[in-house]
Amino acid sequence: MCGILAVFGCIDTSQAKRSRIIELSRRLRHRGPDWSGLHCNGDCYLAHQRLAIVDPTSGDQPLYNEDKTVVVTVNGEIYNHKALREKLKNHQFRTGSDCEVIAHLYEEYGEEFVDMLDGMFSFVLHDTRDNSFIAARDAIGITPLYVGWGLDGSVWFASEMKALSDDCERFVSFLPGHIYSSKQGGLRRWYNPPWYTEQIPSGPYDPLVLRAAFEKAVTKRLMTDVPFGVLLSGGLDSSLVASVASRHLADSEAACQWGSKLHTFCIGLKGSPDLKAAREVADYLGTRHHEFHFTVQEGIDALEEVIYHIETYDVTTVRASTPMFLISRKIKSLGVKMVISGEGSDEIFGGYLYFHKAPNKKELHEETCRKIKALHLYDCLRANKSTSAWGVEARVPFLDKEFLDVAMSIDPEWKMVRPDLGRIEKWILRNAFDDDQKPYLPKHILYRQKEQFSDGVGYSWIDGLKDHANKQVTDAMLMNASFVYPENTPTTKEAYYYRAIFEKFFPKNAARSTVPGGPSVACSTAKAVEWDAAWSKNLDPSGRAALGVHEAAYEEGAESKNASTTNGSSHKLQEAL
């Protein structure tokens, strides 16, 4: 991942302002430690902090068209850049960077080229010929982007809030799948897939079509000129990513540089479910596996730094970001700069345990649509910012545009949990990779019950966080929370503790408004809480809060501190702390 900062319409164009832009851009250097670039033209600035993944030698940014009248600063990867270059034969390219196509596509097609891009991206483009600019964000919001407004009438864009929060009067999260145009004024949506309307699809379920679409999504993400690996928790999603990547690595260009042995990475408390399951998958696939441990205290000690980097006080996100933040540091120390991860599958296929209570296919489909649309505020934010904190890029094949089109066109009846038919959560995905001739995974891994990352690293991680927060936040503090924090009022001591840390780094009203709120159980949206009356009494984002669903479910009204140990063939938890 890279870090971008762009400012348009500054009244102050002095050297001091240029120095200020450089200073603010430096706040994003963790995202791109490999090189810094700045383009200045009148009252416009485009800054870039580069993490070099493709074409490390010549792809420094900002990037330009032939006569340098079009300037672009990009954070992301364009997987179809070679195919796009074929459409731009009359253009002269200066670098081998995948992102350079953006400047030339704009020249060729104007503002309507964004849907041609296959990848994850946030970019800002300046056309110096008429002093206009556009900014755009990928379909789902895999890469972060914020837009802000200064008191002098200036417009700001940045990969992270910390680069513009001090200098903007107001700022918001830039909507995924949208483009901002200075010519046309304001935001418009460029991404308009059929599923966005939330109408119930009726497409057939063909397991081989679904499998092929996912394999294509994974293989295109093997595009790299630097060492890479797969984040492997041992759950279904990351295990499928690792399995497909290991099958296709030998045929990829990456294998020519880095060999055909896939590296996999896992983190957890000693004895946690993820560590055991990941080791088993790695042994089965024959990967070069790296297992890391952390203690509850090490996680607690990192909380302030984690919240500074992820820029949210959402409880689920903080819980899951901390181990991801810690493992990213270990991964970077090994010289690895890119990882492939399994985010997005649970949202697409109804994989969270609360989906067991979906009353019908219509409500299940609408909930999956809501979850996908909100990913940029939750799992995409976590995966991107907690890895980028250490200059590591995370790629997410489940959120591939083509794969989404296939998966979201299937009649959602196939996604319903049907115990009478032997269908657990995400059955259609599991079944698509259930191949007896050339198995992708062992059966008991393929049908392992869902674990949220923050749970799977070890249940005592969540319990330890709650215990720590209970010591830091008094009953009186929580009682008066609605006066101290009238917006998105924290309802637990853990939430209060994270909010206090967030406010220390980001005290403006605009900052706290970038974080979503509302009731949730086991990662549900507020609407899905209505599916079960018991959930309203136990609003905790942990998967264990899905009462009567998870094998290690909370006892009603109290947490079960000891997770059960059972036979893996019945899809229950492996030994938990």
Side-chain angles (χ1 to χ4, degrees):
M1 280 295 112
C2 302
I4 64 174
L5 173 65
V7 190
F8 298 95
C10 294
I11 291 177
D12 179 4
T13 58
S14 66
Q15 178 61 37
K17 187 65 174 182
R18 181 186 177 97
S19 298
R20 177 61 176 166
I21 299 297
I22 292 171
E23 177 190 345
L24 294 173
S25 178
R26 202 177 293 134
R27 295 182 184 180
L28 303 174
R29 186 162 294 171
H30 53 275
R31 298 184 61 85
D34 296 336
W35 197 250
S36 304
L38 176 65
H39 173 87
C40 178
N41 184 279
D43 60 358
C44 305
Y45 301 86
L46 279 79
H48 191 266
Q49 302 289 342
R50 188 184 185 204
L51 180 68
I53 303 287
V54 175
D55 186 26
T57 54
S58 70
D60 293 337
Q61 296 194 36
L63 294 160
Y64 302 88
N65 66 337
E66 292 87 343
D67 61 5
K68 293 196 171 186
T69 55
V70 175
V71 194
V72 64
T73 181
V74 190
N75 168 36
E77 304 292 343
I78 310 302
Y79 302 121
N80 65 335
H81 73 105
K82 289 182 179 178
L84 291 172
R85 284 177 184 242
E86 290 298 311
K87 297 181 178 182
L88 298 164
K89 287 280 184 70
N90 57 328
H91 289 258
Q92 184 179 347
F93 286 79
R94 299 170 179 271
T95 76
S97 169
D98 54 298
C99 295
E100 190 182 346
V101 293
I102 292 173
H104 300 289
L105 286 170
Y106 172 80
E107 268 194 303
E108 193 73 21
Y109 299 99
E111 294 183 357
E112 304 308 317
F113 72 89
V114 183
D115 198 27
M116 299 170 68
L117 301 175
D118 181 8
M120 55 176 183
F121 54 83
S122 297
F123 70 81
V124 182
L125 180 148
H126 183 209
D127 188 339
T128 63
R129 295 168 295 192
D130 58 6
N131 204 31
S132 65
F133 63 89
I134 60 172
R137 190 177 183 187
D138 66 62
I140 306 299
I142 301 166
T143 61
L145 188 64
Y146 294 83
V147 56
W149 297 269
L151 288 173
D152 62 352
S154 55
V155 183
W156 297 58
F157 301 93
S159 294
E160 294 183 5
M161 197 160 56
K162 56 182 66 67
L164 50 68
S165 57
D166 289 345
D167 290 56
C168 290
E169 185 64 19
R170 182 169 178 262
F171 47 91
V172 297
S173 177
F174 193 103
L175 290 173
H178 280 69
I179 181 172
Y180 183 106
S181 167
S182 65
K183 285 180 185 174
Q184 298 193 26
L187 281 170
R188 67 181 187 276
R189 202 169 77 231
W190 63 264
Y191 179 58
N192 296 286
W195 65 264
Y196 208 89
T197 63
E198 301 185 12
Q199 289 184 334
I200 312 304
S202 57
Y205 166 51
D206 185 329
L208 295 182
V209 169
L210 188 64
R211 183 199 295 183
F214 185 65
E215 294 205 274
K216 184 178 179 184
V218 173
T219 52
K220 72 173 70 166
R221 282 159 181 78
L222 299 177
M223 179 186 83
T224 177
D225 294 325
V226 299
F228 75 100
V230 171
L231 294 181
L232 178 62
S233 70
L236 174 69
D237 307 327
S238 64
S239 297
L240 285 178
V241 171
S243 179
V244 172
S246 62
R247 284 195 181 202
H248 295 278
L249 180 56
D251 299 326
S252 70
E253 291 182 14
C256 300
Q257 286 181 283
W258 310 110
S260 57
K261 187 91 164 175
L262 183 68
H263 288 254
T264 51
F265 308 95
C266 185
I267 193 169
L269 305 178
K270 284 188 177 178
S272 65
D274 279 2
L275 291 180
K276 184 179 176 184
R279 201 178 310 120
E280 186 177 1
V281 173
D283 289 344
Y284 180 82
L285 298 176
T287 70
R288 178 76 182 276
H289 190 56
H290 307 266
E291 181 179 292
F292 304 112
H293 303 138
F294 77 104
T295 65
V296 172
Q297 189 59 53
E298 285 171 336
I300 289 170
D301 290 342
L303 279 175
E304 290 212 5
E305 200 174 1
V306 168
I307 291 171
Y308 171 75
H309 277 289
I310 65 174
E311 302 179 323
T312 183
Y313 48 83
D314 174 69
V315 171
T316 316
T317 308
V318 175
R319 287 176 177 179
S321 293
T322 305
M324 202 167 191
F325 174 86
L326 295 173
I327 195 176
S328 297
R329 188 175 191 181
K330 292 283 192 180
I331 288 170
K332 189 60 182 285
S333 73
L334 296 175
V336 171
K337 296 171 74 173
M338 185 271 280
V339 291
I340 309 178
S341 191
E343 278 75 17
S345 172
D346 291 313
E347 287 74 13
I348 296 167
F349 296 107
Y352 292 111
L353 296 182
Y354 73 89
F355 277 98
H356 282 241
K357 298 294 183 82
N360 52 59
K361 69 177 186 179
K362 178 178 183 293
E363 293 216 29
L364 181 141
H365 180 71
E366 290 172 352
E367 176 71 358
T368 60
C369 293
R370 288 192 294 266
K371 291 290 291 179
I372 295 169
K373 290 175 184 178
L375 269 168
H376 68 290
L377 300 171
Y378 296 102
D379 284 21
C380 286
L381 179 150
R382 165 182 55 78
N384 184 282
K385 290 183 179 177
S386 56
T387 54
S388 294
W390 299 106
V392 175
E393 174 176 290
R395 297 181 179 177
V396 283
F398 280 107
L399 297 179
D400 180 84
K401 270 201 306 183
E402 291 179 42
F403 179 74
L404 264 173
D405 287 345
V406 172
M408 295 301 288
S409 69
I410 298 170
D411 187 329
E413 181 64 39
W414 290 99
K415 298 180 183 179
M416 292 286 287
V417 176
R418 292 286 302 275
D420 55 319
L421 298 176
R423 294 183 193 167
I424 62 171
E425 68 276 355
K426 291 190 289 195
W427 177 85
I428 66 168
L429 180 62
R430 300 173 196 271
N431 182 63
F433 286 90
D434 195 346
D435 188 332
D436 289 330
Q437 297 336 112
K438 293 180 66 180
Y440 285 79
L441 294 168
K443 291 272 190 186
H444 64 281
I445 292 290
L446 194 59
Y447 291 95
R448 182 191 183 210
Q449 189 178 55
K450 163 70 185 168
E451 286 284 4
Q452 285 166 219
F453 182 48
S454 54
D455 285 341
V457 298
Y459 285 152
S460 60
W461 166 235
I462 306 299
D463 299 335
L465 286 174
K466 292 181 176 181
D467 291 344
H468 179 70
N470 286 340
K471 293 171 186 171
Q472 306 302 314
V473 179
T474 66
D475 292 343
M477 291 163 73
L478 188 61
M479 191 184 304
N480 292 318
S482 61
F483 300 106
V484 180
Y485 303 122
E487 184 181 352
N488 266 359
T489 304
T491 57
T492 67
K493 290 186 177 181
E494 186 186 7
Y496 191 106
Y497 181 60
Y498 300 157
R499 179 64 172 272
I501 296 172
F502 178 89
E503 295 277 343
K504 183 168 69 172
F505 294 123
F506 307 106
K508 287 190 174 178
N509 287 333
R512 67 184 67 102
S513 297
T514 63
V515 181
S520 175
V521 63
C523 289
S524 75
T525 66
K527 177 70 176 170
V529 172
E530 300 169 8
W531 290 351
D532 191 314
W535 287 348
S536 62
K537 304 172 190 173
N538 190 45
L539 293 173
D540 190 283
S542 167
R544 287 180 291 166
L547 297 173
V549 174
H550 197 288
E551 300 290 358
Y554 292 129
E555 295 172 8
E556 200 158 347
E559 263 187 62
S560 169
K561 292 246 179 178
N562 301 308
S564 59
T565 305
T566 58
N567 188 315
S569 64
S570 60
H571 322 313
K572 297 189 177 183
L573 289 176
Q574 298 168 27
E575 191 172 77
L577 292 175

